[in-house]
Amino acid sequence: MRPVAILTDSSSDLSPKYQDEYGIRLIKAHIRIPGNDDAEAFVTWEEGGTDRDLFYADLKKRPEAYATSPPNVEEFSRALEELVCQGYDVVAITISSGISGSYGFLTTAAAAVTAAHPEAEIGCVDTLRFGPCIGLMAIYAAKLRDEGKSCREITSWLEENKIRFRQSGWLDDLTFVAKKGRISHAKAFFGTLAGVKPIGEFDSNGLTSVLTKAPGAKAALATMISYIEKTITDPGDQIIFIAQTCRYAQALEYKRLIEERIKPRAVCINDVHPYCGINIGPGLLAAYYLGKPISADLSEEKKIFEEIAAAKK
């Protein structure tokens, strides 16, 4: 059996620490930022030569000056060809096809490379997820590889279990989302003014659906922790990723609560870097973890939030 390489792209926001620790390869996507219309996406602020808070302040002020694009077919082909020629089969993991064209480019490249190298196997996974949740999936893939699983076995596990990768979090700066055309300006203004925290979960299309709202950070954190408790599986053996954009203080409190109540093996706070951040903006706070399968219509998740709300009355 050929050795297996795990490949993901900048949408995973996987830090160099975890890339090195788990032997995960990363292919760079592209961002358009002021002064550079085709910059490589980066996953540390030092690499990008910028400051997190300055970046998000400018992004909020002029979102039209920023844009993203995935690795193209040629770039995916080069990355896959290099690994295949080194003797690897490849499990390649990309951002949700509901958000980006990355998966389509990947599968086109994989078909060309396997046609030229029929001895190699390339498993392509449409995660139906985004951001650090993809990085978390890549870590699970790397663990399976280290257990001796084949490319086909790892790809099958990811396909069967991707509906178990969950998020529990909020996006509270709705004015930015409105500028990106995701919500009306009136609703965005009202939501931000009222301090409402819309709490969402992944849906079957790889997007986030808002399932409940909480009046402020303290109530939202309590709801989010209760939701994790009711949906997580085997927490003691998990790494939980927390993603945040300009909500670092709240992320620290969320981390403390998760460690105290959920007791996972580790909790890691991830900044969201430009490739995902350009389309999210400031105001995200979310935890990503492995749990029970998400229901196709989110009916079970809505019921859980209703139960949490009822218990607090």
Side-chain angles (χ1 to χ4, degrees):
M1 185 174 72
R2 290 161 61 94
V4 178
I6 309 299
L7 178 70
T8 186
D9 61 31
S10 303
S11 62
S12 67
D13 255 325
L14 194 63
S15 71
K17 173 184 182 297
Y18 283 112
Q19 290 177 45
D20 293 341
E21 183 175 342
Y22 289 96
I24 296 168
R25 318 295 181 98
L26 189 140
I27 180 173
K28 297 290 184 69
H30 305 274
I31 54 176
R32 189 189 77 208
I33 56 178
N36 192 335
D37 286 344
D38 188 21
E40 280 193 341
F42 49 85
V43 292
T44 70
W45 297 110
E46 293 78 13
E47 182 187 359
T50 188
D51 173 85
R52 174 185 62 202
D53 294 333
L54 291 176
F55 170 82
Y56 277 106
D58 192 61
L59 173 66
K60 186 173 182 179
K61 184 166 52 177
R62 47 175 181 168
E64 70 287 344
Y66 293 81
T68 62
S69 59
N72 59 36
V73 173
E74 182 180 349
E75 289 166 329
F76 272 123
S77 295
R78 282 201 303 267
L80 294 171
E81 179 93 22
E82 180 180 348
L83 291 169
V84 164
C85 288
Q86 291 173 1
Y88 290 99
D89 288 338
V90 185
V91 176
I93 304 170
T94 70
I95 190 171
S96 171
S97 60
I99 297 172
S100 168
S102 185
Y103 180 70
F105 295 156
L106 169 63
T107 54
T108 300
V113 172
T114 52
H117 300 274
E119 75 283 2
E121 187 165 350
I122 300 173
C124 301
V125 181
D126 177 2
T127 63
L128 297 180
R129 300 294 182 265
F130 52 80
C133 193
I134 301 172
L136 192 60
M137 294 177 77
I139 287 174
Y140 274 86
K143 287 181 174 181
L144 290 170
R145 174 204 60 203
D146 294 344
E147 292 171 7
K149 302 295 185 186
S150 68
C151 175
R152 186 167 301 179
E153 289 171 322
I154 297 168
T155 303
S156 295
W157 188 92
L158 289 171
E159 289 292 349
E160 291 168 8
N161 288 277
K162 62 187 177 185
I163 60 170
R164 296 177 55 205
F165 285 87
R166 289 178 169 268
Q167 72 172 358
S168 179
W170 78 53
L171 178 59
D172 64 14
D173 194 337
L174 299 181
T175 54
F176 182 88
V177 182
K179 288 177 181 177
K180 287 289 184 178
R182 311 260 178 107
I183 191 171
S184 75
H185 284 275
K187 288 181 180 178
F189 177 75
F190 174 79
T192 303
L193 180 66
V196 171
K197 306 294 185 186
I199 298 172
E201 176 62 281
F202 291 119
D203 62 26
S204 58
N205 296 314
L207 303 174
T208 295
S209 290
V210 173
L211 300 182
T212 191
K213 297 178 182 179
K218 186 175 180 179
L221 285 170
T223 297
M224 287 149 54
I225 286 288
S226 295
Y227 183 74
I228 295 174
E229 287 179 321
K230 291 177 178 291
T231 56
I232 197 169
T233 56
D234 300 319
D237 193 41
Q238 290 204 37
I239 299 171
I240 294 179
F241 280 173
I242 296 175
Q244 64 86 32
T245 57
C246 303
R247 296 296 180 269
Y248 193 71
Q250 293 93 333
L252 286 171
E253 176 63 8
Y254 200 10
K255 181 178 187 288
R256 184 189 70 79
L257 290 169
I258 289 173
E259 290 172 338
E260 181 181 286
R261 296 265 296 272
I262 310 300
K263 296 180 171 59
R265 181 161 63 87
V267 183
C268 177
I269 296 175
N270 294 61
D271 277 357
V272 176
H273 294 90
Y275 187 65
C276 289
I278 284 169
N279 297 302
I280 293 171
L284 173 71
L285 178 66
Y288 301 96
Y289 58 97
L290 189 69
K292 303 170 186 175
I294 299 172
S295 59
D297 58 358
L298 294 176
S299 58
E300 291 301 314
E301 288 66 34
K302 292 172 187 174
K303 189 183 300 182
I304 290 170
F305 279 120
E306 288 169 2
E307 291 170 356
I308 293 169
K312 293 178 179 177
K313 291 182 180 178

